[in-house]
Amino acid sequence: MDLAIAGGGPVGLGTAIFAARAGLRSIVLERRRHWPIDKACGEGIMPRGVALLRDLGVEARGRPFHGVRFLSNGIAAEGRFPGEPGFGVRRTALVEALRERARAAGVELASGCAVRDWCERGSGGVRIETTAGPVSASWLIGADGLHSAVRRRSGLERRSRGVRRYGIRRHFRVEPWSSLVEVHWAEGAEAYVTPVAPDEVGIAFLWRGDGRRFDELLALFPALRERLRGAEPTSAVLGAGPFSQRARSCHRGRVALVGDATGALDPLTGEGITVGLLSARSLVDTLARGASLHAYERRHRRLLSVPRALTRLMLVAAAHPQLRHRFVAIVARHPALFDRLIALDAGETTTRRGRLGGRLESRPTRSEP
């Protein structure tokens, strides 16, 4: 076996599909027994991620979205993608579509198979002890997410210095009222609304995790609460965090990390799955060519440079209400500026109004719908 991939989420399965396309044999080791695997996340995939899934031959039921709307103190600002839309999709539907594609590509899928320990055999690969028995492979790939056991046990864990933030998510049976992902801002929290089906939206809150429940956080957003009045919940409440995890490196010996296992970003820019799939493609390309994993490390850092910069900007906005409101008011008056930020986050070099260097346009600020 060429790759033993710890983690059967979107990035682990994506890594396995990329590997199969490169002629590498892989096995996905998932500690939980039953697919599809759910997780608390915003469930909005940015256009680059949609293109990657399409290239992999993965199709999942969901709903397209065409940009992002910020809402703060009655002011609304919109930024739209310059080209193809993003896609809102239930995490379970995405994992199931990736799993079916991986199976069709010849990937071995092992559920109820948690990684316990491993020992390296130099150039001979690595022997992995799992709860279902031993597995031998040339490489162990840690794709086991935010709190990666592979990262921790390989000595690649690095103490995080970021703000401890948490997320909580639930779905509701209601027709999406916008073709955009909405970000509602309130004191100490943000609410993310993602259309995931013709009759369903996902609501995710990000905040510092002070013990408040979903309904208590929803009460911070009266307009959003009114939108959901009488709507049937279609999923249980799930939580995640703390975010802002870090790794010393993306690799050590015969172990390589991918996706959130490399060090998770705060999810407020919505780039988690996209960056994870891009890093999976880069890692598989490096291994298939027999290149040094230092090359993968360098490419991974470049890949994260823009998302990390935008994340820092958004975290500053989240922590300073007056600054945030001024920012939203500015991009509401200058939509081309917001388009530039959205285009950067989407990995594009142009906006719907022309090249990134084009002149800013102005329009009146609009009240929250």
Side-chain angles (χ1 to χ4, degrees), residues 310-363:
L310 291 175
T311 295
R312 293 189 187 99
L313 174 64
M314 296 283 283
L315 285 173
V316 170
H320 299 85
Q322 291 184 340
L323 181 60
R324 176 185 71 238
H325 187 61
R326 288 175 60 187
F327 168 74
V328 174
I330 289 170
V331 294
R333 289 195 300 269
H334 302 287
L337 175 59
F338 202 1
D339 284 354
R340 293 180 186 185
L341 293 175
I342 294 299
L344 285 170
D345 195 35
E348 302 282 353
T349 57
T350 61
T351 72
R352 62 193 171 102
R353 301 167 213 282
R355 296 197 61 79
L356 289 177
R359 183 175 60 87
L360 293 180
E361 299 177 12
S362 298
R363 69 180 176 205

XYZ file of all heavy atoms in Angstrom, residues 310-363:
426
model
N -6.535 37.185 5.324
C -7.940 37.557 5.410
C -8.534 37.137 6.758
O -9.371 37.850 7.317
C -8.721 36.917 4.264
C -8.402 37.461 2.865
C -9.140 36.663 1.802
C -8.757 38.936 2.762
N -8.100 35.999 7.282
C -8.582 35.543 8.577
C -8.183 36.528 9.669
O -9.002 36.876 10.541
C -8.035 34.146 8.900
O -8.568 33.213 7.961
C -8.426 33.714 10.306
N -6.935 36.984 9.651
C -6.496 37.966 10.654
C -7.333 39.243 10.566
O -7.736 39.818 11.590
C -5.017 38.285 10.463
C -4.091 37.109 10.769
C -2.647 37.551 10.770
N -1.735 36.415 10.894
C -1.110 35.844 9.883
N -1.263 36.318 8.655
N -0.315 34.807 10.077
N -7.606 39.696 9.332
C -8.421 40.897 9.150
C -9.815 40.698 9.738
O -10.339 41.567 10.447
C -8.518 41.221 7.653
C -9.455 42.369 7.260
C -8.965 43.682 7.844
C -9.568 42.474 5.740
N -10.416 39.535 9.471
C -11.762 39.269 9.953
C -11.798 39.104 11.472
O -12.764 39.505 12.125
C -12.306 38.018 9.276
C -12.479 38.153 7.772
S -13.948 39.094 7.342
C -15.200 37.855 7.614
N -10.753 38.534 12.055
C -10.711 38.387 13.502
C -10.599 39.740 14.200
O -11.187 39.960 15.258
C -9.557 37.482 13.917
C -9.754 35.981 13.665
C -8.471 35.217 13.968
C -10.907 35.440 14.498
N -9.837 40.640 13.601
C -9.778 42.012 14.136
C -11.158 42.650 14.086
O -11.609 43.286 15.043
C -8.748 42.852 13.354
C -8.863 44.325 13.736
C -7.330 42.359 13.632
N -11.858 42.478 12.966
C -13.205 43.029 12.825
C -14.158 42.431 13.855
O -14.988 43.136 14.434
C -13.721 42.781 11.416
N -14.028 41.112 14.088
C -14.909 40.447 15.053
C -14.682 40.972 16.468
O -15.619 41.056 17.266
C -14.693 38.943 15.004
N -13.439 41.329 16.788
C -13.100 41.744 18.148
C -13.350 43.222 18.412
O -13.384 43.637 19.576
C -11.634 41.414 18.432
N -13.539 44.027 17.370
C -13.695 45.470 17.536
C -14.947 45.933 16.802
O -14.902 46.226 15.596
C -12.455 46.208 17.012
C -11.190 45.840 17.722
N -10.420 44.741 17.366
C -10.568 46.409 18.792
C -9.381 44.671 18.171
N -9.443 45.661 19.043
N -16.089 46.007 17.490
C -17.366 46.326 16.841
C -17.368 47.636 16.051
O -17.918 47.686 14.952
C -18.345 46.387 18.013
C -17.726 45.517 19.067
C -16.249 45.706 18.910
N -16.769 48.690 16.591
C -16.783 49.965 15.871
C -15.976 49.873 14.580
O -16.408 50.362 13.523
C -16.236 51.083 16.766
C -17.150 51.430 17.924
C -16.615 52.602 18.736
O -15.419 52.926 18.673
N -17.489 53.243 19.494
N -14.819 49.239 14.651
C -14.000 49.056 13.463
C -14.726 48.191 12.442
O -14.709 48.468 11.237
C -12.666 48.418 13.845
C -11.655 48.170 12.721
C -11.273 49.473 12.048
C -10.428 47.463 13.269
N -15.398 47.135 12.932
C -16.144 46.247 12.035
C -17.247 47.007 11.323
O -17.435 46.871 10.108
C -16.752 45.095 12.841
C -17.622 44.167 12.018
C -18.279 43.129 12.876
N -19.321 43.669 13.730
C -19.326 43.579 15.055
N -18.352 42.975 15.678
N -20.315 44.085 15.746
N -17.989 47.801 12.055
C -19.098 48.525 11.438
C -18.594 49.520 10.400
O -19.197 49.685 9.340
C -19.914 49.248 12.516
C -21.168 49.866 11.987
N -22.178 49.129 11.407
C -21.561 51.168 11.927
C -23.155 49.951 11.025
N -22.790 51.183 11.331
N -17.471 50.168 10.702
C -16.896 51.093 9.721
C -16.460 50.343 8.472
O -16.649 50.813 7.345
C -15.705 51.830 10.342
C -16.102 52.864 11.374
C -14.876 53.469 12.035
N -14.002 54.126 11.075
C -12.804 54.615 11.378
N -12.351 54.486 12.615
N -12.080 55.213 10.474
N -15.863 49.154 8.663
C -15.442 48.344 7.524
C -16.641 47.959 6.658
O -16.608 48.091 5.427
C -14.727 47.093 8.024
C -14.506 46.056 6.967
C -13.547 46.232 5.982
C -15.272 44.888 6.943
C -13.345 45.268 4.999
C -15.074 43.929 5.969
C -14.117 44.121 4.996
N -17.726 47.482 7.291
C -18.908 47.085 6.527
C -19.490 48.292 5.795
O -19.913 48.185 4.637
C -19.958 46.424 7.445
C -21.255 46.132 6.676
C -19.413 45.127 8.030
N -19.515 49.452 6.450
C -20.040 50.652 5.801
C -19.200 51.043 4.589
O -19.734 51.449 3.543
C -20.096 51.800 6.807
N -17.877 50.903 4.692
C -17.000 51.262 3.575
C -17.225 50.335 2.391
O -17.379 50.785 1.250
C -15.521 51.227 4.020
C -15.222 52.396 4.964
C -14.585 51.281 2.802
C -13.864 52.312 5.630
N -17.249 49.015 2.627
C -17.420 48.097 1.495
C -18.839 48.147 0.956
O -19.081 47.798 -0.206
C -17.019 46.652 1.871
C -15.531 46.581 2.160
C -17.837 46.107 3.033
N -19.818 48.609 1.762
C -21.168 48.815 1.237
C -21.191 49.981 0.261
O -21.887 49.940 -0.762
C -22.154 49.056 2.377
N -20.403 51.040 0.566
C -20.343 52.198 -0.345
C -19.485 51.906 -1.566
O -19.681 52.524 -2.623
C -19.779 53.420 0.401
C -20.724 54.009 1.427
C -20.271 55.394 1.848
N -18.938 55.375 2.436
C -18.686 55.228 3.732
N -19.704 55.039 4.565
N -17.469 55.255 4.201
N -18.518 51.004 -1.426
C -17.587 50.687 -2.512
C -17.642 49.186 -2.806
O -16.754 48.433 -2.391
C -16.166 51.105 -2.150
C -16.025 52.559 -1.827
N -16.075 53.541 -2.788
C -15.854 53.197 -0.635
C -15.920 54.729 -2.211
N -15.788 54.535 -0.907
N -18.661 48.739 -3.503
C -18.819 47.290 -3.724
C -17.660 46.657 -4.475
O -17.396 45.469 -4.301
C -20.125 47.202 -4.526
C -20.309 48.549 -5.124
C -19.741 49.514 -4.135
N -16.967 47.431 -5.321
C -15.830 46.860 -6.049
C -14.716 46.450 -5.083
O -13.990 45.485 -5.348
C -15.291 47.848 -7.079
N -14.576 47.176 -3.961
C -13.585 46.798 -2.952
C -13.948 45.458 -2.327
O -13.081 44.589 -2.145
C -13.511 47.883 -1.875
C -12.595 47.596 -0.671
C -11.162 47.366 -1.131
C -12.672 48.731 0.344
N -15.222 45.290 -2.012
C -15.663 44.007 -1.455
C -15.484 42.890 -2.494
O -15.067 41.778 -2.170
C -17.126 44.111 -1.021
C -17.529 43.088 0.015
C -16.626 42.161 0.517
C -18.822 43.055 0.490
C -16.999 41.231 1.465
C -19.212 42.125 1.437
C -18.294 41.211 1.921
N -15.788 43.194 -3.746
C -15.568 42.209 -4.802
C -14.107 41.766 -4.853
O -13.802 40.588 -5.095
C -15.957 42.782 -6.167
C -17.464 42.834 -6.370
O -18.200 42.327 -5.506
O -17.899 43.385 -7.394
N -13.191 42.696 -4.643
C -11.763 42.358 -4.659
C -11.431 41.375 -3.541
O -10.700 40.406 -3.745
C -10.918 43.615 -4.490
C -11.009 44.579 -5.662
C -10.149 45.788 -5.396
N -10.331 46.793 -6.434
C -9.632 47.916 -6.494
N -8.693 48.143 -5.589
N -9.848 48.791 -7.458
N -11.955 41.657 -2.336
C -11.693 40.776 -1.210
C -12.288 39.390 -1.456
O -11.654 38.370 -1.169
C -12.274 41.377 0.071
C -11.619 42.661 0.568
C -12.369 43.217 1.767
C -10.152 42.411 0.920
N -13.487 39.347 -1.999
C -14.126 38.065 -2.290
C -13.342 37.326 -3.376
O -13.144 36.108 -3.316
C -15.585 38.279 -2.731
C -16.413 38.849 -1.569
C -16.201 36.981 -3.240
C -16.478 37.941 -0.365
N -12.873 38.065 -4.385
C -12.099 37.439 -5.455
C -10.793 36.862 -4.917
O -10.385 35.763 -5.296
C -11.808 38.457 -6.563
N -10.124 37.594 -4.019
C -8.899 37.078 -3.416
C -9.175 35.809 -2.627
O -8.439 34.825 -2.715
C -8.275 38.141 -2.497
C -7.555 39.306 -3.176
C -7.208 40.372 -2.145
C -6.312 38.824 -3.894
N -10.250 35.830 -1.841
C -10.597 34.668 -1.045
C -10.968 33.484 -1.936
O -10.721 32.330 -1.576
C -11.760 35.008 -0.127
C -11.956 33.989 0.982
O -10.941 33.447 1.464
O -13.106 33.728 1.349
N -11.533 33.772 -3.106
C -11.920 32.714 -4.040
C -10.767 32.285 -4.937
O -10.924 31.397 -5.769
C -13.093 33.189 -4.898
N -9.597 32.943 -4.804
C -8.437 32.577 -5.615
C -8.482 33.121 -7.025
O -7.809 32.603 -7.921
N -9.264 34.191 -7.253
C -9.402 34.782 -8.582
C -8.505 36.012 -8.696
O -8.104 36.605 -7.696
C -10.860 35.175 -8.844
C -11.843 34.020 -8.734
C -11.837 33.143 -9.963
O -11.162 33.516 -10.948
O -12.487 32.083 -9.936
N -8.232 36.411 -9.923
C -7.408 37.606 -10.152
C -8.208 38.759 -10.726
O -7.685 39.843 -10.930
C -6.262 37.294 -11.138
O -6.818 36.790 -12.355
C -5.325 36.255 -10.540
N -9.486 38.532 -11.015
C -10.349 39.606 -11.508
C -11.629 39.618 -10.703
O -11.958 38.677 -9.995
C -10.706 39.415 -12.992
O -11.410 38.174 -13.139
C -9.471 39.410 -13.857
N -12.380 40.707 -10.802
C -13.685 40.793 -10.165
C -14.736 40.924 -11.245
O -14.437 41.058 -12.424
C -13.776 42.030 -9.243
O -13.836 43.208 -10.055
C -12.577 42.115 -8.318
N -16.010 40.919 -10.835
C -17.080 41.048 -11.817
C -17.103 42.441 -12.437
O -17.796 42.667 -13.415
C -18.440 40.730 -11.168
C -18.827 41.659 -10.038
C -20.005 41.088 -9.253
N -20.259 41.861 -8.044
C -21.230 42.744 -7.930
N -22.028 43.003 -8.961
N -21.406 43.389 -6.797
N -16.334 43.380 -11.882
C -16.276 44.715 -12.463
C -14.963 44.952 -13.218
O -14.651 46.064 -13.584
C -16.416 45.770 -11.354
C -17.702 45.635 -10.587
C -17.686 46.465 -9.323
N -18.449 45.810 -8.291
C -19.770 45.812 -8.212
N -20.491 46.452 -9.111
N -20.387 45.172 -7.239
N -14.180 43.899 -13.407
C -12.943 44.073 -14.163
C -11.747 43.604 -13.368
O -11.862 42.844 -12.427
N -10.558 44.071 -13.722
C -9.347 43.621 -13.060
C -9.268 44.192 -11.653
O -9.864 45.199 -11.320
C -8.111 44.061 -13.865
C -8.049 43.419 -15.249
C -6.648 43.534 -15.822
N -5.662 42.855 -14.990
C -5.465 41.538 -14.996
N -6.169 40.770 -15.773
N -4.549 41.010 -14.213
N -8.498 43.523 -10.794
C -8.406 43.934 -9.404
C -7.885 45.357 -9.255
O -8.151 46.015 -8.272
C -7.500 42.964 -8.633
C -8.093 41.572 -8.398
C -7.086 40.694 -7.691
C -9.366 41.653 -7.585
N -7.174 45.830 -10.228
C -6.633 47.175 -10.129
C -7.576 48.251 -10.622
O -7.239 49.419 -10.670
N -8.804 47.878 -10.992
C -9.752 48.820 -11.562
C -10.217 49.856 -10.564
O -10.065 49.731 -9.362
N -10.883 50.916 -11.095
C -11.355 52.006 -10.252
C -12.532 51.548 -9.401
O -13.407 50.818 -9.841
C -11.793 53.177 -11.147
C -12.257 54.418 -10.384
C -12.536 55.549 -11.363
N -13.562 55.185 -12.320
C -14.869 55.346 -12.098
N -15.281 55.822 -10.934
N -15.758 55.026 -13.017
N -12.562 52.014 -8.173
C -13.662 51.680 -7.292
C -14.929 52.400 -7.736
O -14.907 53.548 -8.155
C -13.348 52.082 -5.847
C -12.220 51.331 -5.142
C -12.074 51.892 -3.738
C -12.513 49.862 -5.092
N -16.057 51.693 -7.607
C -17.356 52.302 -7.835
C -18.007 52.540 -6.489
O -17.685 51.906 -5.500
C -18.239 51.377 -8.676
C -17.666 51.075 -10.057
C -18.540 50.102 -10.819
O -19.671 49.861 -10.379
O -18.078 49.596 -11.837
N -18.960 53.448 -6.453
C -19.680 53.735 -5.220
C -21.156 53.497 -5.413
O -21.696 53.607 -6.507
C -19.473 55.196 -4.772
O -18.118 55.440 -4.516
N -21.831 53.145 -4.331
C -23.286 53.073 -4.352
C -23.751 53.309 -2.931
O -22.997 53.117 -1.970
C -23.763 51.719 -4.867
C -23.499 50.525 -3.971
C -24.022 49.266 -4.615
N -23.685 48.099 -3.787
C -23.568 46.863 -4.275
N -23.738 46.641 -5.557
N -23.288 45.862 -3.477
